[in-house]
Amino acid sequence: MSEDDLYRRAEKRADEKIAFYKHLMSFIIVNVIFIVMNCLTSPGEWWFYWITVFWGIGLLGHFLRVFVFTDKLEDNRDEMIKKEMEKMKK
């Protein structure tokens, strides 16, 4: 793999991590606002947790894609490209 390829892959990984951290920050800020709104408007009826749970599931999926499964996906992608190239040569 050339230096340019490594740089592009590293740049892509850094961008993915930054996107995750932005997602996490918006999750925290918006959910804090919803919790405060819920406490002020209807303290006996808790509705904020629905947003928190379902958005949290999406955030967990984003985390897994960026930090857990990225290398495996990239490796599989490289293998798939090689196989496709071999098929095209035949």
Side-chain angles (χ1 to χ4, degrees):
M1 190 177 295
S2 73
E3 192 70 26
D4 288 340
D5 291 336
L6 285 174
Y7 181 82
R8 273 189 243 111
R9 285 181 89 173
E11 186 177 38
K12 181 181 175 195
R13 294 265 307 153
D15 289 343
E16 289 172 348
K17 288 179 180 182
I18 289 168
F20 171 76
Y21 291 129
K22 287 180 179 180
H23 188 183
L24 178 62
M25 287 305 299
S26 62
F27 173 83
I28 292 169
I29 291 167
V30 170
N31 279 288
V32 166
I33 291 169
F34 283 152
I35 291 168
V36 170
M37 281 176 39
N38 190 174
C39 289
L40 293 175
T41 60
S42 52
E45 300 173 29
W46 302 114
W47 50 261
F48 74 88
Y49 61 85
W50 290 109
I51 299 165
T52 304
V53 167
F54 288 110
W55 191 352
I57 291 169
L59 186 64
L60 176 63
H62 193 173
F63 172 82
L64 292 173
R65 186 178 56 80
V66 170
F67 293 101
V68 177
F69 297 117
T70 298
D71 293 334
K72 293 175 186 172
L73 292 173
E74 286 293 323
D75 292 341
N76 287 340
R77 181 179 179 271
D78 291 341
E79 288 176 25
M80 291 171 73
I81 290 170
K82 287 177 186 175
K83 287 179 184 178
E84 288 299 322
M85 287 176 66
E86 289 173 10
K87 286 180 187 177
M88 289 178 183
K89 288 179 182 177
K90 293 180 181 178

